[in-house]
Amino acid sequence: MQLTGLTVIGGGQMARALVGGMLESGCLKASELTVVHQTPATGEWWTAKYPGCTTSTDTVEAVSDANTVMLAVKPHIIADVLSVKNAAGKTADWSGRLIVSIAAGIGLDKLTQGVGHDRVVRVMPNTPSLVGEGASGYCVSSGVSDEDVALIETMLDSVGISSLVTEPQMNAVTGVSGSGPAYVFLIIEALADGGVAAGLPRATALKLATHTVLGAAKMVRETGEHPGVLKDNVCSPGGTTIAAMSVLEQNAVRGAMIQAVQASANRSRELA
């Protein structure tokens, strides 16, 4: 599906990841993109990276030419963006446009009130979108059509995978995939530290730990096997791996991970 008339408000890292994926996959042409920015450096980055795109500091004008608007700004300025006026005193006309927000914690009700209609999508992306391996959850308001959903999936799947969920489930998405990369970074760091403690050079330990996590994730995805089955396949009777698993269970690593997801989800709920 080809995306036309996209205006992105905010040109930071997550916008660069998501929109960059769309441009590189071919579902969006640079000539169909307008980026609203606040700093000259941001505008210069976009025009240098993607010649043919348009940059602007006028939100009102940029929205007026859009079919789809992505709100890629910090949550605390969403209200200001939705009510912004330009130098001529005009406010943005959000009507008739698909609104896609990646502002964490801003619910569909606030977004629909702000834009004056219910053709609104809320997305929780994650940072691996920067390397084309994102995992995004999204929910939609009542005015979003099947065609709109197909468009959203085209956008998000260009940088990874996406899942449609209900809005109450968005907090769980935050706990699993939104915050999840940080858990995995911690695991990689710990594996590498263990390798160093066992006698490996730091660079070698980190290289092996990183690729081990990558390979294990790829096995789960590509074999379709339950991770518990794959784990059991590595655990030979009386072997090295089952000895290690015993230590992990004794230290409640499994329970800690579950609690971490729940804590992140609960905090997301509080912030919303």
Side-chain angles (χ1 to χ4, degrees):
M1 177 177 289
Q2 193 70 35
L3 180 62
T4 60
L6 175 65
T7 288
V8 179
I9 302 176
Q13 287 299 316
M14 193 54 69
R16 294 178 185 185
L18 292 174
V19 178
M22 296 176 214
L23 290 163
E24 290 169 16
S25 71
C27 72
L28 174 69
K29 296 180 179 178
S31 59
E32 296 290 339
L33 171 66
T34 298
V35 179
V36 179
H37 60 91
Q38 293 185 332
T39 65
T42 300
E44 290 167 4
W45 184 92
W46 281 96
T47 53
K49 181 73 173 179
Y50 303 110
C53 76
T54 300
T55 60
S56 175
T57 58
D58 188 338
T59 299
V60 174
E61 183 64 27
V63 168
S64 69
D65 295 328
N67 296 323
T68 302
V69 179
M70 178 183 290
L71 303 173
V73 296
K74 298 296 185 182
H76 68 277
I77 66 170
I78 277 285
D80 293 335
V81 168
L82 297 182
S83 60
V84 69
K85 294 183 179 180
N86 64 9
K90 294 176 60 178
T91 57
D93 179 10
W94 305 98
S95 61
R97 313 180 204 288
L98 178 62
I99 309 300
V100 182
S101 171
I102 64 172
I106 305 299
L108 290 174
D109 56 345
K110 293 181 180 178
L111 292 167
T112 55
Q113 290 172 14
V115 300
H117 63 82
D118 58 2
R119 194 179 170 213
V120 175
V121 180
R122 177 184 168 194
V123 178
M124 169 54 69
N126 68 1
T127 55
S129 298
L130 289 164
V131 292
E133 292 292 348
S136 301
Y138 70 97
C139 60
V140 302
S141 58
S142 58
V144 174
S145 67
D146 290 344
E147 184 178 357
D148 291 335
V149 168
L151 184 63
I152 293 299
E153 290 182 348
T154 297
M155 294 167 66
L156 298 178
D157 291 353
S158 69
V159 292
I161 58 98
S162 61
S163 293
L164 174 62
V165 300
T166 65
E167 183 159 39
Q169 292 172 333
M170 287 292 283
N171 296 312
V173 170
T174 300
V176 174
S177 58
S179 300
Y183 319 154
V184 179
F185 297 148
L186 182 67
I187 290 170
I188 292 172
E189 182 184 33
L191 281 173
D193 285 347
V196 172
L200 287 174
R202 169 68 61 182
T204 301
L206 183 58
K207 179 181 179 180
L208 292 173
T210 300
H211 206 77
T212 296
V213 171
L214 177 64
K218 194 170 182 179
M219 283 188 71
V220 173
R221 182 176 66 184
E222 295 191 2
T223 66
E225 292 279 9
H226 189 281
V229 172
L230 295 173
K231 175 208 66 175
D232 289 348
N233 290 343
V234 185
C235 294
S236 303
T240 57
T241 307
I242 194 64
M245 293 302 301
S246 177
V247 173
L248 294 176
E249 294 292 359
Q250 289 172 29
N251 285 276
V253 171
R254 184 198 305 265
M257 294 297 291
I258 293 171
Q259 290 177 35
V261 172
Q262 292 175 322
S264 175
N266 290 336
R267 182 56 177 158
S268 174
R269 191 174 295 110
E270 291 170 359
L271 292 173

